[in-house]
Amino acid sequence: MADVRFVKADTLKAKPDVTKIGFGTHFTDYMFVMDYEEGKGWYDPRIVPYEDIKVSPANTTLHYGQAIFEGCKAYRYKGNKAVVFRAKDHIARLNKSAKILDIPQVDEKLVYDALMQLIDIEKEWIPDGPGQSLYIRPFIFANDPYLGVSVSKCYKLMIILSPVAAYYAHGFAPVKIMVEDTYVRAVRGGLGAAKTPANYAASLHAGLVAHEKGYDQTLWLDGVERKYIGEVGSMNILFKIDNKIVTPELDGTILDGITRRTVLQVAKSWGYEVEERRISTDELLEAYKNGKLEEVFGSGTAAVISPVGELGSSSANTKMVFNNGKIGPFAQKMYDYIDGLHTGEVEDTFGFIDVAGQY
């Protein structure tokens, strides 16, 4: 176990009723912090009381955006255990994002050990209602106190925790997605495969337009030919076509989603053929007309599985409705299975669960 310094808080906060708070609005008593300096490396890993941080007005991240983050969850598990779902995979992906943005690599074992210690300390913050969890946000940002467009020499890694309610407050239900053919989120050779703030900033305006048109989220197309499927909102997208599970290939423009990986692994174990490849809007429309496009759903940490009831175009007068706007059987089965993995109701035969502590 990594040697992580622990600074105890003088007082602890009252635990909120997670059914009455929004996502990411309340935070636990402690956070993990580690610093980096060129020539010194990462140093002083510590768990300290949660507090605001002080940065220079010339902080390089504020001006040039050299930052990355992750998002995973801790759950109350059977046998009174506090667990994290696929923690090592999330930390490894943090390093992949770091490489794309020229941020120094972290010691994955050290960060994993620190995360497990933090969750063990904060395990009483993990809510125990259906679908509830403790959201985990690791992030790294450049911390140089001067202006100048260059790779920074100083960084800060932090992990903060936030109790969250079930994503579907009013029940597991399909969403309406608008195919975005006007705006672009990412192109090959860019930042699309990194979990970095710039990707989310690039999606905000199109998301507002989609909401104005009555849609919940945006389905992105490629930035060159504008016909190949990318991501949907902040999630990966998957299709059940002619009894196969098909999803866009990892071409550098979309995130290598951990839930996406989970869906593909589980689907294969169930005997489904899985394809990761380019998917065009023309192929989708043809499959829909032929009755072969059976289900559409998104996957991500926040919602786990988000069934799509309708796909519409932002410019063309086309609309595809799936399962009469209801949840498809595959999406429902996958959601129930992964949700069961989180809590121990389903046996973890894949090694996805990391135990952080015992109640």
Side-chain angles (χ1 to χ4, degrees):
M1 185 67 71
D3 184 15
V4 178
R5 183 164 59 92
F6 177 48
V7 179
K8 195 169 184 179
D10 293 331
T11 58
L12 300 180
K13 306 171 186 175
K15 308 294 190 298
D17 179 352
V18 297
T19 64
K20 298 179 180 179
I21 61 176
F23 183 91
T25 59
H26 286 65
F27 299 93
T28 64
D29 295 299
Y30 294 98
M31 61 185 183
F32 173 73
V33 185
M34 185 165 63
D35 297 292
Y36 177 92
E37 287 183 16
E38 188 177 63
K40 187 175 183 178
W42 289 103
Y43 68 95
D44 194 17
R46 58 203 185 271
I47 293 173
V48 298
Y50 183 94
E51 62 182 358
D52 291 343
I53 56 175
K54 183 177 179 180
V55 297
S56 165
N59 173 274
T60 45
T61 296
L62 297 178
H63 298 272
Y64 308 116
Q66 195 184 10
I68 56 175
F69 65 95
E70 268 300 319
C72 53
K73 287 180 176 180
Y75 299 88
R76 285 187 182 251
Y77 201 75
K78 68 176 183 180
N80 294 320
K81 295 176 182 177
V83 305
V84 183
F85 189 73
R86 304 194 71 161
K88 293 177 182 176
D89 292 318
H90 281 280
I91 295 168
R93 192 174 66 176
L94 185 73
N95 260 344
K96 289 183 179 180
S97 293
K99 186 175 182 180
I100 294 173
L101 277 91
D102 284 308
I103 292 172
Q105 296 287 287
V106 300
D107 181 330
E108 292 179 21
K109 184 180 184 307
L110 187 156
V111 176
Y112 172 82
D113 287 348
L115 173 58
M116 293 298 107
Q117 291 179 52
L118 180 61
I119 297 299
D120 188 28
I121 291 169
E122 299 284 58
K123 57 183 177 288
E124 295 295 338
W125 280 84
I126 304 174
D128 58 2
Q132 297 175 354
S133 60
L134 185 64
Y135 184 76
I136 303 166
R137 172 52 62 88
F139 59 104
I140 301 174
F141 63 95
N143 203 27
D144 285 1
Y146 52 80
L147 303 180
V149 183
S150 63
V151 175
S152 299
K153 296 180 173 62
C154 299
Y155 298 87
K156 191 177 288 287
L157 183 157
M158 305 180 72
I159 303 175
I160 57 177
L161 310 173
S162 177
V164 295
Y167 187 83
Y168 297 101
H170 303 293
F172 186 49
V175 294
K176 294 174 61 178
I177 303 296
M178 184 183 79
V179 180
E180 179 52 67
D181 52 16
T182 301
Y183 304 103
V184 173
R185 186 191 69 87
V187 295
R188 293 190 184 191
L191 299 176
K195 201 165 178 67
T196 180
N199 280 333
Y200 294 80
S203 72
L204 294 176
H205 179 68
L208 289 175
V209 172
H211 290 157
E212 289 172 357
K213 294 185 177 182
Y215 291 92
D216 298 296
Q217 294 194 43
T218 296
L219 175 62
W220 297 100
L221 302 180
D222 73 283
V224 179
E225 298 181 69
R226 313 299 285 278
K227 69 175 185 177
Y228 291 102
I229 304 299
E231 291 185 355
V232 54
S234 56
M235 301 184 293
N236 294 115
I237 188 76
L238 300 101
F239 307 92
K240 187 167 178 280
I241 303 176
D242 200 17
N243 209 38
K244 298 177 184 178
I245 306 305
V246 185
T247 192
E249 63 188 2
L250 300 177
D251 62 356
T253 68
I254 66 174
L255 191 68
D256 179 8
I258 305 301
T259 308
R260 173 186 182 275
R261 291 188 211 172
T262 303
V263 170
L264 298 183
Q265 287 177 261
V266 173
K268 288 177 183 177
S269 76
W270 289 349
Y272 284 92
E273 186 176 343
V274 170
E275 296 180 351
E276 298 178 68
R277 60 174 174 81
R278 299 181 89 186
I279 309 165
S280 70
T281 52
D282 290 339
E283 178 188 349
L284 283 186
L285 188 57
E286 182 179 357
Y288 178 75
K289 290 178 179 178
N290 293 335
K292 294 184 177 182
L293 182 51
E294 298 153 354
E295 292 187 47
V296 182
F297 58 95
S299 68
T301 296
V304 183
I305 299 295
S306 185
V308 176
E310 179 183 318
L311 271 179
S313 173
S314 61
S315 57
N317 187 27
T318 59
K319 183 172 69 173
M320 293 181 277
V321 177
F322 312 103
N323 300 294
N324 295 316
K326 298 179 181 179
I327 302 167
F330 182 88
Q332 182 70 66
K333 182 179 178 182
M334 184 62 70
Y335 175 82
D336 291 341
Y337 186 87
I338 298 176
D339 186 55
L341 286 174
H342 292 157
T343 60
E345 297 303 315
V346 171
E347 182 183 0
D348 176 26
T349 59
F350 296 92
F352 292 155
I353 298 297
D354 298 294
V355 179
Q358 197 84 16
Y359 286 93

